[in-house]
Amino acid sequence: MKQLWNNCIGAAAVFMLFTGMPAAAALNDDLQDLVFQSEALEGELSTLELNASSVCSPLLQVNQMARDMVNAIAAVDESLSAPLQIDADTLDALEQLSVTNLSLANEALRLSLDLQQLDNAASVLTVKDGITAMLQLSDDIGTMADRIGEMADKILVMADNIDIMADRIIATQEIQSANMTSSVDTLLQTQTNALTLVSVIETSTRELDYDALISDGMELSSRMHSVMLSPWTMKYQLQSVADDVESFLEQVTALSNGVESDAANGTLYIDGTSMMQLYDMSVMLTFIATAVDGYVIAIEGLEPSTSTLTLKDSLGSMLQLSADIGVMADRIGEMGDTILLMADNIGMVADTFITTQQFQSANLFATQNSVLAAQQMAIAIIVSREL
């Protein structure tokens, strides 16, 4: 009887051993497939070289491989079910996945540095597409690291022979933890590199917009200064100026809205060129304002010899264009404040910021005074002539 009982126990042990083996073998096969897939991605990244004519396409290819890798890890994780038998092969595979993930993070960092070198060689759109792909790649590699860690934890929770593998499990966890920390630090630097490049590109793009605005504003100022008012054509002249000012206000508003949108999405690195442009915008406003000062003087001189109807229409245009210039001053002032608030290097150029703000404040104040004087003049004449 005792021998029969021993035989039954032995048979049960053999049964349990062989029923556990297929599950362990299947898990190890799945993990080994993930290792091969991650090594293939590492091989692609290690041979990838970015140049001015080839940025987006190769990055998109490895992006797809990384996305496939994330999905494959998720699929293996979802297929896990307790109880599990883990062995040295299981832990070897988990270690290798974390080691390879760190290599992927290092390759992504190298590519972000390569992309920075292309800033002056490649087109803005090419670099922007590369930045988008680079950020996506680093995000996928980071997600990959998270999923590997989660899967490893799940395997250990489901393992029913953890006591036998305890020492090896601890060693594996230490390796994974160190690799995870290194991967996160490396990916953070990769994203910092890319975002710094975004800031440079966005600043450069806006500087072109600022230049266009300043140029158009100075052209408008020149046209306004060239107007010589007369009692017979005054209403047509001022109506034309009012139309031009209204159109320019729309341009200022569009740029101001664009800057506000930039502010909602990130920060900017402000350089000397941007600072000078903020100053030039306020100077441009003073040129427009001095033209208005000239109109005030001219209208006051021509008022006695100008017909009531002409004067009424002229003052209406004067009030409209002065109001638009006031709004313009507000938008440019707000835009300047927003740009300075967005600056992520304000500590480095604080003195220049203060000087720029002082100039802007003085110029905007002068502009508002001109607008106020124009409106007071118009209102005074309207009252005195009962227009």
Side-chain angles (χ1 to χ4, degrees):
M1 182 68 180
K2 182 178 180 180
Q3 182 62 39
L4 178 61
W5 177 252
N6 289 338
N7 290 341
C8 288
I9 292 176
V14 171
F15 175 77
M16 291 296 293
L17 176 64
F18 281 95
T19 54
M21 284 179 61
L27 173 59
N28 288 338
D29 287 344
D30 288 341
L31 292 177
Q32 197 58 49
D33 287 342
L34 292 179
V35 170
F36 290 149
Q37 193 171 350
S38 65
E39 289 176 341
L41 175 56
E42 180 189 7
E44 287 292 328
L45 283 175
S46 64
T47 58
L48 183 58
E49 298 290 341
L50 301 181
N51 56 65
S53 60
S54 180
V55 174
C56 192
S57 179
L59 283 176
L60 288 177
Q61 182 178 348
V62 293
N63 275 354
Q64 186 58 55
M65 293 180 67
R67 176 54 51 187
D68 292 342
M69 181 72 192
V70 171
N71 293 335
I73 295 172
V76 173
D77 182 70
E78 291 172 1
S79 70
L80 296 174
S81 59
L84 288 176
Q85 290 283 317
I86 60 174
D87 55 23
D89 289 340
T90 306
L91 299 176
D92 283 343
L94 291 175
E95 285 181 13
Q96 188 57 47
L97 283 172
S98 70
V99 169
T100 306
N101 186 261
L102 177 55
S103 297
L104 294 176
N106 288 331
E107 290 298 335
L109 177 60
R110 175 185 65 82
L111 290 172
S112 73
L113 294 173
D114 289 347
L115 191 60
Q116 284 187 322
Q117 298 300 316
L118 296 178
D119 182 26
N120 295 324
S123 69
V124 171
L125 290 178
T126 297
V127 176
K128 281 189 174 183
D129 288 343
I131 291 168
T132 301
M134 181 61 64
L135 290 174
Q136 183 61 58
L137 176 63
S138 64
D139 183 65
D140 285 340
I141 294 174
T143 302
M144 201 182 301
D146 291 339
R147 297 296 174 270
I148 291 171
E150 292 167 4
M151 181 176 63
D153 291 342
K154 191 173 181 180
I155 289 172
L156 295 181
V157 169
M158 291 182 174
D160 59 2
N161 63 332
I162 194 169
D163 54 332
I164 299 174
M165 305 294 296
D167 292 340
R168 180 61 198 282
I169 288 171
I170 291 174
T172 298
Q173 287 178 313
E174 289 175 346
I175 292 172
Q176 281 190 308
S177 177
N179 288 337
M180 174 72 79
T181 300
S182 297
S183 294
V184 170
D185 290 343
T186 302
L187 291 172
L188 179 60
Q189 185 58 54
T190 298
Q191 293 172 340
T192 299
N193 291 345
L195 291 174
T196 299
L197 193 55
V198 167
S199 297
V200 172
I201 288 174
E202 290 299 337
T203 300
S204 175
T205 301
R206 285 301 175 201
E207 284 174 0
L208 295 177
D209 293 334
Y210 304 151
D211 278 340
L213 185 72
I214 294 166
S215 176
D216 290 346
M218 294 302 290
E219 182 182 346
L220 171 61
S221 170
S222 179
R223 292 199 306 271
M224 290 175 67
H225 278 279
S226 68
V227 173
M228 301 297 291
L229 298 179
S230 75
W232 305 279
T233 61
M234 182 188 301
K235 72 173 184 179
Y236 304 110
Q237 291 171 309
L238 289 177
Q239 180 60 58
S240 177
V241 172
D243 291 342
D244 287 345
V245 169
E246 183 180 13
S247 297
F248 187 62
L249 173 59
E250 292 175 357
Q251 186 178 342
V252 171
T253 301
L255 180 55
S256 177
N257 291 340
V259 170
E260 289 293 334
S261 177
D262 291 343
N265 296 323
T267 61
L268 288 178
Y269 183 91
I270 307 299
D271 57 18
T273 301
S274 298
M275 301 283 276
M276 182 57 68
Q277 288 171 320
L278 292 179
Y279 171 74
D280 288 344
M281 274 191 266
S282 66
V283 170
M284 169 200 72
L285 268 179
T286 63
F287 287 155
I288 292 175
T290 55
V292 175
D293 290 337
Y295 296 160
V296 170
I297 295 172
I299 292 173
E300 287 178 333
L302 296 173
E303 184 258 333
S305 58
T306 304
S307 67
T308 299
L309 183 60
T310 296
L311 196 59
K312 180 179 180 180
D313 292 341
S314 298
L315 292 176
S317 296
M318 192 70 180
L319 287 172
Q320 181 60 56
L321 72 88
S322 63
D324 285 345
I325 292 171
V327 174
M328 193 187 303
D330 290 340
R331 295 293 172 269
I332 289 177
E334 292 166 2
M335 184 163 50
D337 290 342
T338 301
I339 291 169
L340 297 181
L341 288 173
M342 289 170 66
D344 53 11
N345 61 325
I346 190 168
M348 298 168 60
V349 286
D351 292 342
T352 309
F353 275 4
I354 292 172
T355 302
T356 300
Q357 286 181 310
Q358 288 173 338
F359 276 123
Q360 277 192 307
S361 178
N363 289 334
L364 293 177
F365 181 73
T367 300
Q368 294 290 7
N369 280 343
S370 296
V371 167
L372 180 60
Q375 293 172 340
Q376 288 174 335
M377 176 275 299
I379 291 171
I381 293 177
I382 289 172
V383 170
S384 66
R385 294 280 291 263
E386 297 182 352
L387 299 177

